[in-house]
Structure formats: C-alpha cells, structure tokens
C-alpha cells in the first residue's frame, strides 16, 4: 500500500487506542533498514511506523553531505515508492528534534510537505516530533502549541515529550534530576489544557515513566508504567474521557513484556524501537564476517572470495534478520494481524 494518508493514519491511531495494541515505530538510517521494516510489518500483517532521528537522517544523506533534512527526504521518497509493493500501511515520522535543530530538521520537512500539498501530492511525513523535554514545561509548550497549529493545517500529527528519557541517543546523553524521568500528573494535565485547545489537531505525547534509550542490564532500569495511568486519570478528571492521550513509549528496547503490555493498557499506541533492531542487523553481519573470515579478507596475499565480500548477500541477510526483530516487536505490542489493509 502507499504510505498512509492523514485519514488512514488517524484511523490507525484510533484503532490501536481502542484495540489496546501499539504500533512499532522503527528507526531506520538507510534503504536497507527501511526495507527491513517494511518486510517485517508485511510478514507480521501489521501496519506501523518508519522513523528517522536527526543523526540517522544525516547519515542517510552521506558522509560528505551530512544534511539531516535531505537524508530524511531521501529515505521518505524511497519509502513512498517501495511501500506500494507491501500489503500493509506504513506511516513516516521523525524522532527527537530538540528546539535548537527545529530549523534544520523539522521545519524544512514541514515546508517540503507544504510544497507537495500545494502541488497536489501526498504529505512527505505523517508526523514529526518536537522534543522540548529539556526545557521548562511552559517553554516546551510555548514552542509546541504554535507548531501544532501549523501541523494541523498540513494534516501532520505532532509528537511532543514531557519529562526526560534517560540514556543515550545519537550520542546525546540525557542527564538531569532523577524525578524528571517520571512525568507528573500535573504536567500531563497542563499539556492537555494547552494542546487540546487547538481544535481538530492530532498529537501524541511521550510521557516518561523511567524510560531510557538503549539496552541496560536487568535491574538497571526502573520502569513505572503506573505513572501513565495516574496521568491519564488526572487528565480524565480534569477534561473528560475525550482528552485522554495517545501515548508514545520511548526507550522500549530491552523492556520486559509485562511493562510493555501494561503501558499499552494505559494508552500507549506507538513504541519506538531502535537499539534492538540495530543489534539484530549487526549481529547478522558479524556472523557473516566471522564465518567467512578468509573470504571477506585478502589474508596473507590471497585474493579473498568475491561472493563473501560483495556487500549484497550480507546486507540482505541483515535486512532479513532485522525484519525478524521487527516481527518480534509487533508481537510484543499485540499488533500482529492488525493491518487495516483490505478492511
Ligand atoms: Zn526516544
């Protein structure tokens, strides 16, 4: 199917919310990893999201260009073309974008969508994330609210974050007071008050409940999904059931299935997966290199084996291995078999 349009993407989010499942949102950095995600979704018969971080997008543009907006556009255009060959819907989004890089990442991508819309073409991206979690809540929302107004006009779903996700992403380590790892009910009520004032707009909230990026040894991470429940209950008391958030789970890699499922029960509709799929991809390549050591290298004046050092076979093996991990994510999130394709 082509990339989901706004109406389909909104329906996807509503279905996840009412059906108590969540979509895998898998980070990609290349054509091969994007293809791996599409393969995984198709095999799991689920719809889902492909997303790009600032660093992943810069990588995709090439080492001598390093233009994050350009890399994101290149991957998105690829997905728009090849997604037609897969029997599922995929939505395209971007990941963490701090205030200081809005003008070099999200805004040029919104402008690209605005140019496409003016020409009668579908949106480039279904959604973008603004991560103002390092700012005081008021400053965070002072940027998020006008951005949401613009996104709403363009039929783009905005994702915002309140509270800090720990760990490291794109080499950026989140440090700060420990309590910021847990979003408070008061903060969630304030988000609903300001963001729900934009009528007809759609947004997702990444509220933090002890999440960290990356994978840590068991016991090092203390997830408290009840934080989401308490926040949702406070929002419902203040503004009624229609105000309940569609939530995003960041730092999902390495989380226990019980924590994942509990978070879904409290309204998580999207879980970001990066570290686990990175590992699946690289593990397959490592396996190839170790097994074909004499072939991939020209050892002791030998000539190596072209079949072993041609990147295609091991990149394809890596693509398939990553697709298997994507299927696993779909299963963890109760998304298997939930595609809207053909319904
Ligand atoms: Zn994240």
């Amino acid at each position: 199917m082509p990339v989901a349009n706004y109406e389909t993407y909104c329906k996807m989010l509503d279905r996840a919310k009412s059906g108590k499942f969540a979509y895998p949102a898998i980070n990609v950095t290349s054509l091969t990893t994007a293809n791996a995600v599409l393969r995984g979704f198709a095999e799991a018969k689920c719809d889902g999201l492909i997303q790009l971080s600032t660093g992943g997008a810069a990588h995709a543009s090439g080492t001598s260009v390093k233009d994050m907006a350009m890399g994101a556009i290149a991957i998105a255009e690829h997905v728009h073309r090849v997604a037609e060959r897969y029997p599922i819907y995929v939505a395209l989004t971007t990941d963490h974008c701090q205030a200081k890089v809005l003008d070099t990442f999200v805004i040029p991508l919104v402008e690209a969508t605005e140019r496409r819309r003016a020409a009668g073409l579908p949106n480039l991206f279904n959604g973008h994330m603004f991560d103002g979690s390092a700012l005081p809540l008021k400053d965070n929302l002072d940027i998020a609210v006008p951005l949401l107004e613009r996104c709403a006009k363009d039929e783009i779903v905005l994702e915002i974050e309140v509270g800090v996700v720990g760990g490291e992403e794109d080499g950026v380590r989140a440090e700060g007071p420990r309590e910021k790892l847990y979003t408070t009910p008061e903060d969630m009520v304030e988000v609903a008050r300001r963001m729900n004032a934009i009528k007809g707009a759609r947004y997702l909230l990444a509220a933090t409940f002890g999440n960290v990026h990356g994978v840590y040894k068991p016991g090092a991470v203390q997830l408290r999904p009840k934080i989401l429940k308490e926040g949702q209950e406070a929002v419902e008391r203040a503004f009624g059931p229609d105000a309940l958030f569609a939530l995003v789970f960041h730092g999902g890699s390495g989380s226990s299935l019980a924590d994942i499922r509990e978070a879904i029960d409290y309204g998580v509709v999207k879980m970001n997966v990066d570290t686990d799929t990175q590992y699946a991809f690289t593990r397959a390549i490592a396996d190839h290199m170790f097994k074909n050591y004499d072939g991939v290298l020209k050892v002791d004046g030998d000539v190596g084996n072209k079949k072993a050092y041609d990147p295609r076979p091991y990149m394809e093996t890596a693509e398939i291995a990553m697709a298997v991990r994507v299927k696993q994510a779909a299963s963890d999130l109760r998304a298997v078999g939930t595609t809207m394709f053909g319904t």
Side-chain angles (χ1 to χ4, degrees):
M1 274 289 100
V3 170
N5 62 17
Y6 180 68
E7 191 193 345
T8 301
Y9 182 41
C10 289
K11 252 189 226 163
M12 281 168 59
L13 297 173
D14 292 340
R15 271 165 63 100
K17 206 168 165 183
S18 61
K20 300 263 186 224
F21 68 93
Y23 293 106
I26 314 285
N27 282 69
V28 307
T29 56
S30 62
L31 301 193
T32 306
T33 47
N35 295 341
V37 178
L38 291 167
R39 182 183 176 120
F41 289 162
E43 289 181 359
K45 298 185 170 57
C46 78
D47 307 320
L49 288 88
I50 284 179
Q51 66 184 12
L52 285 131
S53 68
T54 53
H59 170 85
S61 73
T63 49
S64 64
V65 176
K66 289 266 173 173
D67 179 329
M68 50 180 92
M70 180 175 281
I73 290 169
I75 298 286
E77 287 183 345
H78 168 74
V79 172
H80 275 277
R81 284 179 190 276
V82 296
E84 306 212 6
R85 300 289 183 92
Y86 294 84
I88 46 98
Y89 287 105
V90 66
L92 283 159
T93 62
T94 54
D95 202 359
H96 294 266
C97 180
Q98 278 87 17
K100 63 179 188 297
V101 280
L102 273 178
D103 286 340
T104 42
F105 192 50
V106 164
I107 297 301
L109 296 176
V110 170
E111 287 168 353
T113 278
E114 287 171 347
R115 282 193 299 275
R116 287 170 64 105
R117 292 173 68 84
L121 293 168
N123 281 13
L124 188 63
F125 280 89
N126 301 83
H128 293 296
M129 182 190 185
F130 161 59
D131 177 2
S133 61
L135 304 170
L137 183 61
K138 181 182 179 303
D139 299 355
N140 183 347
L141 293 173
D142 282 349
I143 297 173
V145 167
L147 188 57
L148 180 63
E149 283 172 345
R150 181 169 181 180
C151 285
K153 283 195 195 98
D154 294 327
E155 300 187 314
I156 291 169
V157 176
L158 184 68
E159 177 179 336
I160 63 162
E161 179 170 315
V162 173
V164 173
V165 179
E168 183 173 319
E169 179 161 14
D170 279 353
V172 180
R173 264 203 88 73
E175 299 288 357
R178 259 207 96 65
E179 65 271 16
K180 280 210 82 177
L181 294 174
Y182 302 99
T183 308
T184 63
E186 294 73 37
D187 283 354
M188 286 171 78
V189 168
E190 180 61 6
V191 170
R193 188 182 72 78
R194 300 265 322 257
M195 298 289 277
N196 294 359
I198 318 298
K199 292 297 161 217
R202 292 285 302 237
Y203 70 95
L204 305 173
L205 173 65
T208 55
F209 50 105
N211 323 54
V212 290
H213 289 126
V215 170
Y216 295 83
K217 291 196 175 129
V221 178
Q222 287 177 332
L223 279 180
R224 289 162 53 194
K226 292 269 182 311
I227 294 280
L228 303 180
K229 181 171 185 264
E230 289 162 16
Q232 293 275 46
E233 285 170 355
V235 166
E236 186 169 8
R237 273 196 303 274
F239 306 111
D242 288 347
L244 287 171
F245 294 118
L247 296 167
V248 184
F249 187 158
H250 281 248
S253 288
S255 301
S256 79
L257 192 57
D259 284 339
I260 292 171
R261 297 274 169 88
E262 191 181 349
I264 293 172
D265 288 339
Y266 304 146
V268 164
V269 297
K270 167 180 183 266
M271 185 173 90
N272 295 357
V273 180
D274 191 4
T275 307
D276 284 339
T277 39
Q278 284 176 340
Y279 181 73
F281 189 85
T282 300
R283 180 70 187 79
I285 294 175
D287 191 50
H288 173 90
M289 298 303 166
F290 288 131
K291 279 187 184 148
N292 297 284
Y293 186 78
D294 292 345
V296 295
L297 295 179
K298 298 181 176 181
V299 179
D300 293 336
D302 215 332
V303 294
N305 177 355
K306 181 173 156 53
K307 281 199 173 63
Y309 63 73
D310 179 339
R312 286 173 294 181
Y314 66 78
M315 292 294 272
E316 285 171 15
T317 305
E319 177 190 321
I320 292 165
M322 181 169 159
V324 170
R325 189 59 188 80
V326 169
K327 274 192 319 194
Q328 169 75 46
S331 163
D332 291 350
L333 298 172
R334 303 190 189 116
V336 173
T338 58
T339 181
M340 284 171 43
F341 174 72
T343 61

